[in-house]
Amino acid sequence: MDVTPGSLPNRWRRIRQRLGRFWAPYRSVPMLGWLVAALVAVLLEQSLGLPLARGLGLVRIPALFGVAIILDAPILFPAVLAYVLLIYLIPIALVARYTAPLANRMARWLTSYPMVVGALVHLLILYGVLHIWTGVSDYRLLVARFTMIAIIATLSLNVVNGYMGEFSCSHPGFMALGAYTASVFNILLFVSDNRFGEALLPPVLGPFLFPFSLILGGLVAAAGALLVAIPSFRTRGDYLAIISLAFMFIVKSLFENLEVVGGARGLSNQPNYSTLPVVFVWTVLSIWIINNFVRSTVGKALNAVRDGELAASAMTVDTRKTKMTAFLFAAFWAGVSGGLFAHVIRYINPDTFGIRKLAEVLAMVYLGGLNSVVGSMVGAVGLSLISEALRPLEIYKWIIIPIILILTMIFRPSGMVAFREFDVGAILQPKDEPEKDVDYAAA
Amino acid sequence: MRKEKTDMSKRLWSFLVLVVWVLAACVQPIQPTIKIGINAPLTGDIPKVGEGTKFAAELWLEEIGGAITVGGQEYQVELVIEDNESKGESAAAVNTKLITQDEVLVIVGPQASKQAVPAGGVANDLETPMISPWSTNPNTTLNRPWVFRTPFLDPFQGPVVANFVTEEFGFTKAGVLYDIASDYPKGLAEFFKSAWEELHGEGSVVSFESFTTGDTDFSAQLTKIAEAGAEFIFAPQYYNEVPLIVQQAHELGFTGPIVGSDSWGSAELVNLCGEDCYGAFFSTHYAAEGATGATKEFIDKYNAKYGYVPDDVAALTWDSLNIVKTAIEDCGQITGDIKADRKCVRDAMANLKQFPGITGNMTFTEDGDPIKCAVIVRISEEGKFTFYKQICP
């Protein structure tokens, strides 16, 4: 293929070259360096954010990097841009670049310990960043918690729709089962209200038993998944989609008719147990467990089933058992995410777990990328933040988001980061050794 | 060497230009303003409700001249209208944003209970007064001293309809058709049933039929109701389902009256229903046709500006905003300390007595629910909502 100079592909290449050159010093920054840089940025924001924002003419610190402000009042664009540059981009770039050798040494030192230690150090810093960032406003805190819950839900759906290659529509149903189970458990035991009467246990115990209520919610969701799996896994193709869709509606009408949990009026009064650390820990747990699951033998078998059930079966894979396990496993995590969700919003209503929720989670899975843990995280975080930031656009938001989805489907049909392994070891590695594929100029 | 130097100075210059540009854009005079947050479903399932809210709020702002005078000083009023997509979690997020980012003094909305219950929790936790113009779920205001509402509750509306039908027609056998999957129709249907059976004895609701949101064929339920010998049908449904129910009832030969609730009060109803709905009755917050005084003024202004007669959502939003305005004025002063001001507005709101709204006079109970009168509306032969009767508790 010959390319004349100045033609589009050529120009593209030159832009990429230039970007590559700019990016070159940052290629040796390890994850640890980025995290420390982010920590510096949020600390900077905590101490200097408000005076700087005031100085720039903003009333207060922009909530989500100022996108909402720009959409509301375009005149403030330079101020917001300056704020983001001064607080986030420039400090992160400087710190990451100039502490890279130190960070690499630290990272290498950490690799001499078991990987768990390194991972925990990284997670602690990450939590610190989140904690300080959300400490600035309650709005950030709420958005961060919803986003992390979206990650769990998206990951669990990706196990079925991505790794297993079936199309499941019952995730809102599983979330509802988890949400209602956990809510009833906690309200019954730790809250005195007019529906379930006096608290059965002292409320002090509540936060400690919260994990049990979530696991219980997950198990109930898995039991519900069994009801879908038994009839539908005897069939092939679209039947799971239809049966699981039916299941979602069944769960929804079940709760609408269960007067004891509030019926269509919904259930409120959940105690405030889904705090940031709790949601963070559960999100990390879910990522870790799901990632291990999909990379395990069962996960490989699952991929084999997706690519050719007959072939997999011929290669001694117990296809039915594999599919069953994966489906129940996914439902469990959907239930957990539902339980967390119920305790963030502290009011649930059968209508919340309907077709709109399904569309939301599906969009996150397909935007982020099938068959990829990183993809699910990208999709969940991306879509949550986009839809929060674009809120001022009102009706136009529902034109822009679908267009983003359509463009993704056209240019990256399997999602942003599809079919990529999430390798914790590789992420934690120091980056100062010359890599083999540094030939970015020719890329 | 020299080239590098010019590069440096170029960079320095561009940086300076950036700084000046930024500073120039940012110099804004700071004026004392009162911010009022509006949490409305501009997109999602009920955009018409969101539109009514927005229009009423904008009209109100125009009406007060964009300012409120408190303690002799004039404060500019700024409305911060945010979209909650008619989702519960979004409504909670919007309220959090309005309270912590925009630092509004008080919030009007959200409208539907599904959003108002979680949003009310946020407002109460963050100690910001909120008034929902439309929500009827008891949980919205229950045990939440910071949350108020403008509409009457369903436990009041159910008996109103039961009493009205008994006095007006002398019927004893009722048929009810309602949506079991939606909290408002379900709650109201049950309150009506208990009120009716209290009046006419056990079994006087001869048929209590339900369907699910999105159903369009009600012939099975309507046939059952007719066969059970119901003299009238109570259908506490939203305006998009009422026409189907009424038309199908008439097609099946049901001749008795069909009575509705405040959810019928949308301008769309008659457009969709046509002649089938003429002569029907429903209980509501206000009647557009035959309205007098302030109510008529509001309707005329709204109609002139937006080209249609406002729904009850718009009227209730209008009232909510006026309640907010009165409460702010009653407060006596704006200290600038947002926490103290919010507390002051809340207390002033709780102490309002016989507030004269266009949907009736209101006094708030301990829970923040209003005590007010209901209106019975008859849809006239011209398809207009005409005032028929007022019923007070």
Side-chain angles (χ1 to χ4, degrees), chain B residues 29-88:
Chain B
I30 293 171
Q31 280 179 328
T33 54
I34 293 174
K35 282 190 177 182
I36 296 174
I38 311 267
N39 189 340
L42 298 172
T43 64
D45 298 336
I46 42 172
K48 202 78 185 161
V49 168
E51 185 189 89
T53 312
K54 192 177 172 181
F55 285 173
E58 281 165 357
L59 189 67
W60 175 81
L61 189 67
E62 208 172 279
E63 171 82 8
I64 62 164
I68 295 180
T69 309
V70 189
Q73 198 187 342
E74 194 173 82
Y75 293 88
Q76 291 295 312
V77 176
E78 189 190 328
L79 294 177
V80 188
I81 304 179
E82 287 274 347
D83 174 25
N84 62 33
E85 304 158 50
S86 104
K87 275 177 11 191

Side-chain angles (χ1 to χ4, degrees), chain A residues 56 60-61 63 79 137-138 142 256-257 259 264-265 345-347 351 356-357 360 391 394 397-398, chain B residues 22 26 42-43 54 83 85 87 89 93 96 101 103 114 117-118 125-126 137 154 180-181 183 186:
Chain A
L56 288 171
R60 62 191 55 77
I61 298 175
S137 86
D138 278 335
L142 193 70
E256 269 158 5
N257 290 286
E259 211 39 66
R265 270 206 192 285
I345 187 168
R346 298 169 72 192
Y347 168 72
D351 215 24
R356 260 153 63 105
K357 190 105 216 151
E360 221 176 276
R391 200 189 293 288
E394 294 167 15
K397 178 179 149 184
W398 297 112
Chain B
V22 163
C26 300
L42 298 172
T43 64
K54 192 177 172 181
D83 174 25
E85 304 158 50
K87 275 177 11 191
E89 63 263 41
T96 319
Q101 290 304 123
E103 293 196 343
K114 197 173 63 154
V117 177
D125 289 348
L126 298 175
N137 188 330
D154 301 340
I180 198 164
D183 68 331
K186 184 160 180 272

Side-chain angles (χ1 to χ4, degrees), chain A residues 222-308:
Chain A
L226 205 59
L227 294 182
V228 189
I230 290 173
S232 61
F233 285 169
R234 290 183 191 285
T235 58
R236 294 282 304 136
D238 306 329
Y239 294 99
L240 179 69
I242 295 161
I243 293 176
S244 57
L245 194 63
F247 177 77
M248 187 190 84
F249 283 113
I250 291 171
V251 171
K252 189 167 159 270
S253 24
L254 173 76
F255 287 120
E256 269 158 5
N257 290 286
L258 268 184
E259 211 39 66
V260 65
V261 291
R265 270 206 192 285
L267 187 61
S268 63
N269 273 336
Q270 283 89 341
N272 187 14
Y273 291 158
S274 283
T275 52
L276 185 73
V278 171
V279 178
F280 183 78
V281 167
W282 278 96
T283 310
V284 170
L285 263 181
S286 80
I287 294 172
W288 181 55
I289 295 176
I290 293 176
N291 191 41
N292 279 347
F293 177 83
V294 297
R295 295 175 63 177
S296 69
T297 326
V298 188
K300 303 273 190 267
L302 204 57
N303 275 352
V305 170
R306 177 196 60 204
D307 293 336

Side-chain angles (χ1 to χ4, degrees), chain B residues 287-303:
Chain B
E289 192 73 11
T292 53
T295 317
K296 182 157 174 42
E297 265 174 47
F298 164 70
I299 293 165
D300 289 347
K301 274 182 202 147
Y302 191 102
N303 201 355

Side-chain angles (χ1 to χ4, degrees), chain A residues 75 77-79 81-82, chain B residues 15-27:
Chain A
I75 187 144
F77 176 68
L81 185 71
Chain B
F15 181 71
L16 279 178
V17 166
L18 183 79
V19 168
V20 170
W21 173 50
V22 163
L23 290 179
C26 300
V27 180

Side-chain angles (χ1 to χ4, degrees), chain B residues 204-242:
Chain B
S204 55
V205 175
V206 289
S207 188
F208 196 64
E209 298 296 324
S210 65
F211 62 93
T212 302
T213 318
D215 284 0
T216 50
D217 180 13
F218 309 103
S219 44
Q221 291 94 324
L222 287 167
T223 313
K224 267 197 208 161
I225 291 174
E227 278 172 0
E231 290 161 301
F232 74 103
I233 299 175
F234 178 53
Q237 284 309 317
Y238 290 109
Y239 66 85
N240 51 351
E241 283 145 347
V242 173

Side-chain angles (χ1 to χ4, degrees), chain B residues 110-328:
Chain B
Q111 305 291 14
S113 295
K114 197 173 63 154
Q115 289 93 48
V117 177
V122 168
N124 197 54
D125 289 348
L126 298 175
E127 304 196 329
T128 304
M130 172 184 129
I131 181 162
S132 171
W134 210 47
S135 159
T136 51
N137 188 330
N139 282 331
T140 306
T141 55
L142 195 65
N143 297 325
R144 287 173 175 168
W146 292 84
V147 184
F148 300 83
R149 77 172 101 220
T150 326
F152 44 68
L153 282 173
D154 301 340
F156 164 69
Q157 194 177 179
V160 162
V161 177
N163 287 332
F164 165 73
V165 174
T166 309
E167 281 169 23
E168 191 70 26
F169 303 107
F171 290 159
T172 52
K173 290 183 202 157
V176 178
L177 179 60
Y178 69 99
D179 179 357
I180 198 164
S182 188
D183 68 331
Y184 164 81
K186 184 160 180 272
L188 195 48
E190 278 160 7
F191 286 119
F192 170 79
K193 184 168 183 253
S194 61
W196 187 261
E197 291 192 332
E198 205 168 284
L199 286 173
H200 303 285
E202 198 72 16
S204 55
V205 175
V206 289
S207 188
F208 196 64
E209 298 296 324
S210 65
F211 62 93
T212 302
T213 318
D215 284 0
T216 50
D217 180 13
F218 309 103
S219 44
Q221 291 94 324
L222 287 167
T223 313
K224 267 197 208 161
I225 291 174
E227 278 172 0
E231 290 161 301
F232 74 103
I233 299 175
F234 178 53
Q237 284 309 317
Y238 290 109
Y239 66 85
N240 51 351
E241 283 145 347
V242 173
L244 294 170
I245 295 173
V246 175
Q247 284 159 1
Q248 285 174 24
H250 289 168
E251 274 165 28
L252 289 169
F254 186 83
T255 49
I258 296 174
V259 181
S261 59
D262 62 309
S263 54
W264 281 38
S266 165
E268 282 297 297
L269 180 76
V270 180
N271 292 345
L272 294 170
C273 191
E275 283 185 26
D276 277 295
C277 279
Y278 293 177
F281 291 96
F282 62 90
S283 68
T284 188
H285 308 276
Y286 93 125
E289 192 73 11
T292 53
T295 317
K296 182 157 174 42
E297 265 174 47
F298 164 70
I299 293 165
D300 289 347
K301 274 182 202 147
Y302 191 102
N303 201 355
K305 186 147 189 227
Y306 303 112
Y308 64 94
V309 173
D311 302 347
D312 58 348
V313 178
L316 288 163
T317 306
W318 178 270
D319 268 358
S320 307
L321 282 159
N322 276 324
I323 289 172
V324 163
K325 176 171 175 265
T326 310
I328 294 173

